[in-house]
Amino acid sequence: MKYTTLILSFLILNFSFSQENVALSYSFPIGAESAWHADLLGNLYIGNKDILVKYDTANVMQYSQSIKSIGRVKQISSINTMKIVLFSDQQQTITLVDNTLSEANKTYDLAEMGFGYVPFIAVSAQPNKFWIYDQADSRLVLLDLSRTGQQQEIENVRGILNSSEINWIKEDKNQLYLFNGTESLYVFDLYGTLTDVISLDGAQKVEIFQGEIFVLKKDGIFRYLEGDKSYEKVNIDTQNIKDFQWVNNKFFVRTGGVILKYEMN
């Protein structure tokens, strides 16, 4: 575990964006409604119907596990490379599994914790904590799963944002980002104070990693340059992109029935 932590720290500290050489290295099959996620090292997790699979960094399917009892998995996240998070909007549950896809802890029922309807969650860098967006009550809760009675709450989220729609949240570098799906990215500090609103013209999807903002537009993926509020197009020519993730100079791009993995050197 000590060596894993050191490696992850090295990867983060030596992060930089460069697209001098962009190469498609592999493609992975995925179902139309399947959830997926790439962890910090580039391991890829795909929830195809009732089966969760893990591909390692060499693109080899390493593990496969039935997740039928969890219900439909809408979202896969990672706390670290040793602990993976499965969120089911159908069952309103959070389940933690280890890096071999074995259940590592009990399943947490959000309805039993007093949440109305949760469409998505986000992992916090704070141990055992998750951001939970309760759409029914228009509130955002920082929930500590180790002490479920303790939580931090932002009320009347839609009123604060003057927006009826929130479709994505992520914590990155001690800031919480909310995207409304219509070109506005809202930035909160970890105390729940709205600190900035970034206008992202034409943005359909947003991805943030180590402070870098990327957006999906109808004509491709772009890096947002905050200094002059301009865009730099990423050299990926794939058409009909539905979703993407960027981690440590690897782009994972979902289009049609595949996820394409691009290496950037």
Side-chain angles (χ1 to χ4, degrees):
M1 179 66 73
K2 178 180 178 181
Y3 294 113
T4 301
T5 303
L6 289 173
I7 291 170
L8 294 180
S9 299
F10 177 83
L11 286 170
I12 292 172
L13 290 173
N14 285 274
F15 155 80
S16 63
F17 176 76
S18 171
Q19 58 169 337
E20 291 182 4
N21 298 296
V22 182
L24 175 63
S25 63
Y26 208 76
S27 65
F28 307 85
I30 185 171
E33 301 298 325
S34 299
W36 66 281
H37 171 75
D39 68 19
L40 184 61
L41 291 179
N43 298 304
L44 180 64
Y45 304 84
I46 300 177
N48 277 319
K49 294 184 178 179
D50 299 332
I51 302 295
L52 178 66
V53 297
K54 175 185 178 181
Y55 294 92
D56 63 17
T57 55
N59 310 317
V60 176
M61 189 170 73
Q62 195 173 28
Y63 299 104
S64 176
Q65 186 69 255
S66 171
I67 52 173
K68 188 174 182 178
S69 61
I70 298 175
R72 183 186 69 180
V73 174
K74 181 180 180 181
Q75 186 179 348
I76 304 173
S77 309
S78 55
I79 297 173
N80 51 51
T81 58
M82 306 296 290
K83 190 175 290 186
I84 310 305
V85 182
L86 308 177
F87 170 66
S88 171
D89 62 331
Q90 187 180 62
Q91 302 288 340
Q92 290 288 283
T93 56
I94 296 173
T95 301
L96 306 183
V97 299
D98 65 18
N99 64 333
T100 68
L101 309 186
S102 301
E103 192 167 339
N105 210 323
K106 71 175 184 178
T107 293
Y108 298 87
D109 190 316
L110 296 176
E112 290 182 357
M113 296 179 184
F115 292 94
Y117 174 71
V118 177
F120 42 77
I121 65 172
V123 173
S124 173
Q126 302 175 63
N128 300 309
K129 292 186 179 182
F130 295 82
W131 290 100
I132 312 294
Y133 176 57
D134 189 342
Q135 186 179 69
D137 294 330
S138 186
R139 61 181 180 141
L140 194 58
V141 176
L142 181 59
L143 178 67
D144 187 339
L145 288 182
S146 64
R147 294 177 291 180
T148 53
Q150 294 194 7
Q151 59 188 41
Q152 176 183 326
E153 186 169 326
I154 305 172
E155 297 180 335
N156 189 28
V157 174
R158 289 194 294 270
I160 294 173
L161 306 184
N162 192 27
S163 174
S164 60
E165 191 71 31
I166 300 167
N167 63 13
W168 181 87
I169 57 175
K170 185 174 183 178
E171 182 184 309
D172 182 79
K173 296 189 70 173
N174 296 319
Q175 295 189 104
L176 181 66
Y177 295 87
L178 283 71
F179 180 59
N180 68 353
T182 56
E183 306 181 355
S184 293
L185 182 66
Y186 302 91
V187 187
F188 288 79
D189 64 23
L190 297 187
Y191 298 101
T193 301
L194 179 64
T195 60
D196 197 7
V197 181
I198 302 173
S199 179
L200 299 173
D201 296 339
Q204 301 169 353
K205 301 274 187 178
V206 175
E207 170 65 8
I208 301 172
F209 179 75
Q210 291 298 302
E212 294 281 359
I213 300 173
F214 290 83
V215 300
L216 174 63
K217 299 186 178 188
K218 64 180 181 180
D219 49 346
I221 298 172
F222 294 79
R223 179 190 183 201
Y224 176 70
L225 306 175
E226 290 192 76
D228 59 3
K229 296 179 171 48
S230 64
Y231 295 90
E232 173 189 2
K233 188 168 185 179
V234 177
N235 295 330
I236 293 175
D237 293 328
T238 303
Q239 302 297 311
N240 301 316
I241 298 173
K242 299 183 181 301
D243 201 1
F244 72 100
Q245 189 183 345
W246 182 62
V247 55
N248 281 321
N249 285 339
K250 295 181 181 66
F251 265 102
F252 293 85
V253 177
R254 179 177 186 166
T255 175
V258 297
I259 294 174
L260 303 175
K261 178 181 176 181
Y262 290 87
E263 305 277 355
M264 310 186 74
N265 301 307

